[in-house]
Amino acid sequence: MEHIRCLIIGSGPAGYTAAIYAGRANLQPVEYCGMQTGGQLTQTTIVDNFPGYPQGVDGNQMMIELREQAERFGVDLRDGEIVKADFSRKPYVFTTDRGVELEADSVIIATGATAKYLGLPDEQKYMGQGVSVCATCDGFFYRKKTVAIVGGGDTACEEAHYLSGLCKKVYMIVRKPYLRASEAMKRRVEEAENIEILYETNTLGLYGKAGVEGAHVVYRKGESEERAYDLPIDGFFLAIGHKPQTAIFKDAIALDEQGFIKVEGQNQATNVEGVFAAGDVCDPYYRQAIVAAGSGAKAALDAQAYLSALGK
Ligand code: NDP
């Protein structure tokens, strides 16, 4: 079985930064990049708030450059996923999606998070036929059309703003009477002429023959002003948050009630010795590329200290 000193799982800003640090520290890291190499930032447009890019940077480009930087330090970057993890004995044993087993002395979990759905049967019914969780991936298909996006956070605002540049009209479906997003993001959507915010509104379902033609929505559900109506749209986007990708770790690694990996104290250590977590997989709160990158650096330094204490 292949033996790895430092296995890194995931290739977002956290995974790549951990890889850069681990590579420079000569831990001979092997990084499994997962199904979506580069992670969530490959689905965004401009990243404006990562220090060092005065004009902003294309998310995809940033991830390509991070990958190149990891390559420069000899990181063994591999396509594919880790689908099974066994922490019951040391070294820990992992299985790839090709059925290959490998063992590792230390592990950095940086598997990130994936988009959440409302849980309506119609979301599955119209998947790829008008329902999307990625405006920057699919917005192009709705040029000059009318779309709705659900959510009132920074992601929803960012994506609504992006869609407003392509589409004739963008509705934001927001369940609260206010946007949760930052002031800058709020301003962006409020100033866009073709964005209309539907506050205190929930989606009940979608309709359409061959694809989405509209959404059944309700204003102030359960109150005296309750009003259900149909909103004609061509595309339905979701931006209601993300869930951490921790399913394969849940039996051994301590998670919080939402499924995020718990890291406690100053470092990125989990409850299992030699296993560290970084990025959105352990961050329900900040979820920023710069924070993910910072935690990736910390996780690699922690792994280095752990291995060195063991004399490995
Ligand atoms: P958030 O959790 O911040 O927002 C989720 C939004 O979806 C909220 O408005 C929430 O409503 C709504 N929502 C959740 N579940 C449902 C539901 N079942 N039905 C209807 N609406 C629902 O997630 P984001 O992805 O927007 O942001 C996550 C983190 O990433 C945040 O910290 C954010 O600041 C950050 N971020 C920063 C960016 C930037 O700075 N460039 C860009 C994107 C994200 P409610 O308010 O009622 O709970």
Side-chain angles (χ1 to χ4, degrees), residues 28-41:
Q28 291 129 10
V30 171
E31 182 172 5
Y32 273 81
C33 292
M35 295 303 278
Q36 188 187 20
T37 301
Q40 294 174 79
L41 280 189

Side-chain angles (χ1 to χ4, degrees), residues 16 19-21 23-24 29 64-77:
Y16 280 145
I20 292 164
Y21 272 70
R24 293 188 84 233
I64 289 169
E65 287 173 13
L66 272 177
R67 185 182 172 94
E68 285 172 6
Q69 200 172 346
E71 272 167 349
R72 181 154 78 85
F73 296 114
V75 178
D76 183 346
L77 293 153

Side-chain angles (χ1 to χ4, degrees), residues 3 7 11 85 98 105 123-124 130 137 140 170 192 234 259 270:
H3 182 87
L7 173 68
S11 61
R98 294 188 187 156
D105 292 326
E123 288 169 319
Q124 295 311 315
C137 316
F140 184 76
V170 179
D234 305 294
T270 68

Side-chain angles (χ1 to χ4, degrees), residues 49 118 150-156 158 175-176 180 185 202 239-242 285-288:
N49 49 11
L118 293 170
V150 185
D154 280 321
T155 304
E158 190 175 73
R175 66 180 175 182
K176 293 248 171 77
R180 182 201 285 211
M185 287 292 188
N202 281 288
I240 59 168
H242 290 78
Y285 186 67
Y286 297 103
R287 302 195 59 252
Q288 299 297 298

Side-chain angles (χ1 to χ4, degrees), residues 254-274:
L255 309 177
D256 71 9
E257 59 290 345
Q258 293 181 73
F260 289 90
I261 292 178
K262 280 191 191 171
V263 288
E264 275 156 24
Q266 294 278 343
N267 62 28
Q268 299 301 123
T270 68
N271 61 314
V272 177
E273 222 181 53

Side-chain angles (χ1 to χ4, degrees), residues 211-257:
V212 170
E213 289 171 19
H216 303 297
V217 297
V218 58
Y219 171 71
R220 291 203 171 171
K221 188 169 167 38
E223 295 179 35
S224 54
E225 303 94 326
E226 177 172 324
R227 183 169 64 93
Y229 60 98
D230 287 349
L231 185 70
I233 49 169
D234 305 294
F236 183 75
F237 290 84
L238 291 143
I240 59 168
H242 290 78
K243 73 166 181 277
Q245 309 208 80
T246 48
I248 64 164
F249 309 114
K250 70 178 184 340
D251 294 337
I253 309 283
L255 309 177
D256 71 9
E257 59 290 345

